[in-house]
Amino acid sequence: MTQLSQSNSETFAAASLAAKSGTEVRLEGVTKDFGLAKPAVDDITLRIEPGEFMTLLGPSGSGKTTTLNLIAGFEVLTKGQVLLNGQDVGALPPHKRNLGMLFQNYALFPHMSVYDNVAYPLRERKTAKDEIQRRVGEVLELVQLVGRDKHLPKQLSGGQQQRVALARAIVFNPKVLLLDEPLGALDRNLRGALQLEIRRIHREVGSTFVFVTHDQDEAMNLSDRIALFNEGEIEQVGAPEELYARPETLFTAKFLGDSNVFHLGKVSPIDNAVAWEDERWAVDANTVSPKVASDRGSALVVRPEGVSVSKNRSEVPPDANAVKATILDIEYLGSYRTLVLALGDARLNGRARIDAQSSDFSLGEEVVAWWRPYRQRLVAE
Amino acid sequence: MTQLSLPRRAPNLSWLLLVPAVALMAGVVYVPLIQSAVRSFGDPPSLQEYADLFSDGITMTVFWRTLGSAVVVTLVTLVLGYPYAYMMTRASARVRGLLMTVVLVPFWTSAMARNFAWLILLERNGPVDRIFQFFGIHDVVFYQTTTGVTIAMTQVMLPFMVLPLYSALAGIDRKLLLAAQGLGSTPVKAFWKVFWPLSKVGVMSGLVLVFTLSMGFYITPALLGSPQNSMIAQLISQRATQLLDFAAAGALGTFVLIVTLVLVGMANSQGGSISAISVVVNTDSPKGNG
């Protein structure tokens, strides 16, 4: 009972801390032109809530890191505004923006001990000596590196070095923490462990986190919301579930997770059915992306877990959309099986996820793939 | 239990690779060095020659003049060379190649040609003198003075400062400067707290190289200086070749060698803890991160 109330009060304390220390980051028409064919960042507008964990996700060269550098002040804006809590910081140099930054290669000062590295931002802020000692002790505890303060960075493992960098980036309670692919240099297991740690630290310090990655799983795992970048523009912003379940464009659907994709060409968004080869499929109005327009190509996408497979048409429910398919391969993945399919006459690559136990399919078999209309999504190409 | 016979390993003879160089160094450098050191104690052995160094009234004057000029040359090459090496790390590959060539041209021209060029530049009524005369300044004399020698030596020594500096500076990860700025340092402070300490190895090796070379420099002082302003190397040469006083020349040579070794040893003990770091800087810097 006492334990419960204590943990409750801790939660409250953490919540009030979060409300206090989070900073809103607003990008208004942000543009960075390096003089190439297309601006690296092209007129981006994005509002990041105070205390939010926002991930800038995208393939390499999509402008996500440039956007982060524009927020940090390492790059100069070509056009637009960067606002922190409503204050335009576009003209401020990096050291006046009070932001924490975590780099992929840690960027620890090799000639300084762990302690001196972590104390660096506090000394730059003329913090009193005993206060520095207290803060560094606290934050080394937070990243679980107590007792390593006298080590030089080269005496630590990669994971430990990144924890030191994390400690150094949060020790001065920055308004916003910018993370530039901080886990990219680590191996898979370590990455998983540090993802958990970053989430925990985000909850505990309550600062706004802006995280850059090209790894969709990492983005899905960590973020409150994801801004998906494509060729210098934001393709879609939303919670991971939203981006996965309700992609607006084919790019989003393909970047996050697997999809079965049927290219439809131009369709009218108000039709309640679409045609593909000889099939006619019902379209549910609330599965149509707002970006679908009659002057732009569209595609119908269905996630593998939304697709069922039957031996023949008579087994398909009458309200389902169906397409003939050939089984090319069967992958056993422990908790489920994936059927690799050739869909329709075009023999499009497709996938269906089925029960791990069901084993009544064989390679080369002609089957029918089907799904309920609510499992599909009509997106813009 | 059967005894397994291991294949006989051929004796490792790779140390033989050292023999030619060691033999050359021993024969040409160390044996004569020891000989001249032994000879400096005279026959019968005494410390008389060394006592004379301090009491003859000339040697110490020349020694301090040489040391002073070497210190000035070393510091001026550092002040000139550091920004140059720094800009070389920042420049594009093309400009870097150009800057590198500019540094190396003095290496490719003969030492005599370079020093005669200085002779012509600095002589009475030479170009430099005439520029000063043009402004009505007649009492500045570079030819056959320590100042003129020091100026010419600075130019000759500059590559020996720039090259080790460049290789040290090029190994420093520039992300560290961004990190320091992100953590609240002005660009200037980021340089002094992060970049400068990491460049100390290069600074130390540049200082040691230029200083030791300047201490024993012969040709520039011989051509540009005057007997009244001679440097240590000239004094040694004079005692050995003109006065045939090998004991005195040996004592002077040994004395300068010891002073130089002590100073270099002090510099190395300063740089010792830093050179360990430079290895880390060079190996940890990111390789082709997109």
Side-chain angles (χ1 to χ4, degrees):
Chain A
M1 182 64 213
T2 43
Q3 215 174 358
L4 186 76
S5 68
Q6 194 194 344
S7 78
N8 259 345
S9 71
E10 270 175 17
T11 316
F12 280 130
S16 68
L17 183 72
K20 253 197 324 222
S21 56
T23 291
E24 179 207 60
V25 179
R26 236 166 69 215
L27 309 178
E28 293 283 351
V30 161
T31 301
K32 178 68 193 182
D33 195 342
F34 290 111
L36 303 172
K38 190 180 190 307
V41 176
D42 198 356
D43 194 20
I44 277 178
T45 295
L46 178 67
R47 181 171 180 274
I48 304 170
E49 306 282 338
E52 188 175 24
F53 197 121
M54 170 67 88
T55 296
L56 313 183
L57 173 68
S60 61
S62 59
K64 55 194 195 304
T65 297
T66 308
T67 304
L68 198 75
N69 285 336
L70 288 167
I71 300 174
F74 297 144
E75 299 280 3
V76 180
L77 287 161
T78 306
K79 255 200 322 237
Q81 284 182 306
V82 174
L83 302 119
L84 302 180
N85 270 353
Q87 187 209 348
D88 185 354
V89 297
L92 290 183
H95 66 272
K96 292 203 175 135
R97 296 197 186 187
N98 212 30
L99 307 173
M101 177 106 189
L102 207 55
F103 296 90
Q104 179 175 3
N105 61 343
Y106 328 128
L108 292 175
F109 306 133
H111 58 302
M112 295 184 194
S113 67
V114 166
Y115 183 93
D116 290 335
N117 263 285
V118 178
Y120 189 95
L122 297 175
R123 289 187 177 135
E124 288 303 276
R125 286 165 177 74
K126 307 265 187 301
T127 311
K129 207 169 177 186
D130 50 339
E131 172 74 5
I132 291 180
Q133 225 158 32
R134 193 180 62 76
R135 287 290 303 147
V136 173
E138 268 178 23
V139 53
L140 283 181
E141 199 169 327
L142 189 65
V143 298
Q144 299 170 354
L145 276 176
V146 177
R148 305 280 181 160
D149 40 354
K150 295 217 169 51
H151 287 63
L152 284 176
K154 64 164 177 178
Q155 294 170 300
L156 303 177
S157 69
Q160 288 172 329
Q161 290 188 40
Q162 193 54 293
R163 283 174 203 209
V164 176
L166 185 58
R168 189 180 64 174
I170 59 176
V171 70
F172 57 105
N173 290 322
K175 298 177 190 169
V176 180
L177 184 63
L178 307 175
L179 307 98
D180 185 7
E181 308 220 16
L183 310 180
L186 304 173
D187 69 53
R188 243 182 96 85
N189 286 335
L190 211 49
R191 223 158 48 210
L194 267 159
Q195 279 177 16
L196 283 176
E197 201 142 324
I198 286 175
R199 270 163 63 107
R200 175 176 63 82
I201 286 165
H202 175 245
R203 279 196 303 272
E204 283 181 30
V205 302
S207 297
T208 310
F209 277 36
V210 185
F211 186 95
V212 163
T213 184
H214 63 264
D215 182 334
Q216 40 152 326
D217 295 333
E218 200 166 273
M220 303 272 264
N221 188 1
L222 288 169
S223 324
D224 293 328
R225 284 194 302 157
I226 296 171
L228 182 61
F229 277 66
N230 182 26
E231 296 186 348
E233 294 174 47
I234 293 181
E235 195 79 14
Q236 191 172 348
V237 185
E241 303 81 8
E242 194 181 333
L243 259 64
Y244 185 79
R246 290 194 296 283
E248 291 178 352
T249 62
L250 186 57
F251 180 84
T252 308
K254 284 170 107 172
F255 201 85
L256 293 162
D258 286 329
S259 289
N260 296 291
V261 179
F262 302 93
H263 299 275
L264 300 172
K266 289 175 184 170
V267 298
S268 166
I270 50 165
D271 281 356
N272 54 13
V274 292
W276 187 79
E277 293 191 348
D278 334 329
E279 311 286 352
R280 234 184 117 68
W281 294 326
V283 171
D284 204 339
N286 57 27
T287 64
V288 178
S289 146
K291 288 195 177 157
V292 170
S294 47
D295 59 346
R296 188 177 172 184
S298 301
L300 190 115
V301 295
V302 198
R303 299 289 183 191
E305 63 270 28
V307 177
S308 304
V309 176
S310 296
K311 296 271 185 192
N312 51 58
R313 293 255 170 185
S314 60
E315 291 169 24
V316 176
D319 57 339
N321 293 332
V323 63
K324 64 179 176 192
T326 311
I327 295 173
L328 297 180
D329 203 357
I330 302 170
E331 295 169 350
Y332 176 65
L333 291 148
S335 53
Y336 59 89
R337 277 176 210 276
T338 299
L339 299 180
V340 180
L341 304 170
L343 302 169
D345 293 330
R347 299 186 69 81
L348 292 178
N349 269 325
R351 285 171 171 267
R353 183 174 298 181
I354 60 168
D355 196 353
Q357 263 61 50
S358 72
S359 54
D360 48 345
F361 294 106
S362 48
L363 294 185
E365 193 179 348
E366 303 276 330
V367 291
V368 179
W370 58 270
W371 59 92
R372 309 274 183 183
Y374 76 89
R375 304 297 296 260
Q376 76 195 20
R377 188 82 186 154
L378 193 61
V379 298
E381 284 207 29
Chain B
M1 195 169 144
T2 36
Q3 193 83 27
L4 284 175
S5 72
L6 289 167
R8 252 178 80 93
R9 251 198 324 153
N12 189 345
L13 294 177
S14 57
W15 58 270
L16 283 173
L17 293 170
L18 291 170
V19 167
V22 169
L24 183 71
M25 292 295 281
V28 178
V29 180
Y30 291 102
V31 169
L33 196 66
I34 290 164
Q35 271 184 349
S36 86
V38 167
R39 210 177 279 175
S40 71
F41 293 104
D43 188 23
S46 72
L47 287 174
Q48 189 52 46
E49 294 295 346
Y50 288 90
D52 287 348
L53 293 182
F54 295 94
S55 57
D56 65 7
I58 300 166
T59 310
M60 277 299 117
T61 315
V62 174
F63 171 74
W64 288 118
R65 181 190 298 138
T66 310
L67 189 73
S69 146
V71 166
V72 169
V73 169
T74 308
L75 294 180
V76 173
T77 51
L78 177 65
V79 170
L80 294 177
Y82 197 97
Y84 194 92
Y86 181 83
M87 285 319 290
M88 272 173 76
T89 67
R90 302 287 290 133
S92 67
R94 254 181 103 129
V95 176
R96 189 183 309 133
L98 186 72
L99 291 174
M100 185 64 98
T101 311
V102 168
V103 171
L104 287 178
V105 161
F107 268 137
W108 299 333
T109 52
S110 101
M112 289 303 276
R114 257 180 295 152
N115 283 291
F116 274 113
W118 274 109
L119 189 69
I120 292 161
L121 280 173
L122 295 181
E123 71 186 348
R124 292 260 167 187
N125 294 316
V128 174
D129 206 21
R130 262 181 283 154
I131 288 169
F132 277 94
Q133 285 170 16
F134 178 80
F135 290 106
I137 304 165
H138 295 277
D139 49 356
V140 181
V141 180
F142 291 114
Y143 183 51
Q144 294 200 328
T145 63
T146 310
T147 313
V149 170
T150 306
I151 290 171
M153 270 170 70
T154 302
Q155 184 264 316
V156 173
M157 291 299 172
L158 197 55
F160 295 100
M161 182 58 85
V162 169
L163 293 178
L165 272 178
Y166 169 71
S167 79
L169 301 194
I172 298 175
D173 179 5
R174 296 199 56 83
K175 272 245 169 84
L176 296 176
L177 286 176
L178 288 188
Q181 288 175 52
L183 295 168
S185 298
T186 61
V188 173
K189 264 189 115 177
F191 173 83
W192 285 113
K193 292 185 84 165
V194 176
F195 200 87
W196 171 254
L198 291 174
S199 66
K200 270 191 187 160
V201 210
V203 172
M204 278 301 168
S205 38
L207 290 180
V208 166
L209 201 57
V210 172
F211 179 77
T212 49
L213 287 173
S214 302
M215 279 299 282
F217 218 53
Y218 178 73
I219 182 164
T220 306
L223 278 174
L224 288 175
S226 71
Q228 290 77 41
N229 293 308
S230 68
M231 301 277 185
I232 284 280
Q234 289 160 277
L235 206 59
I236 295 173
S237 156
Q238 191 190 33
R239 285 183 187 169
T241 61
Q242 289 166 29
L243 306 178
L244 300 180
D245 186 353
F246 295 113
L252 186 49
T254 309
F255 171 67
V256 173
L257 181 66
I258 288 167
V259 170
T260 309
L261 282 179
V262 166
L263 290 174
V264 169
M266 279 162 60
N268 276 345
S269 71
Q270 276 285 304
S273 59
I274 300 162
S275 56
I277 292 159
S278 84
V279 178
V280 177
V281 175
N282 287 319
T283 51
D284 280 4
S285 58
K287 285 160 198 87
N289 271 327

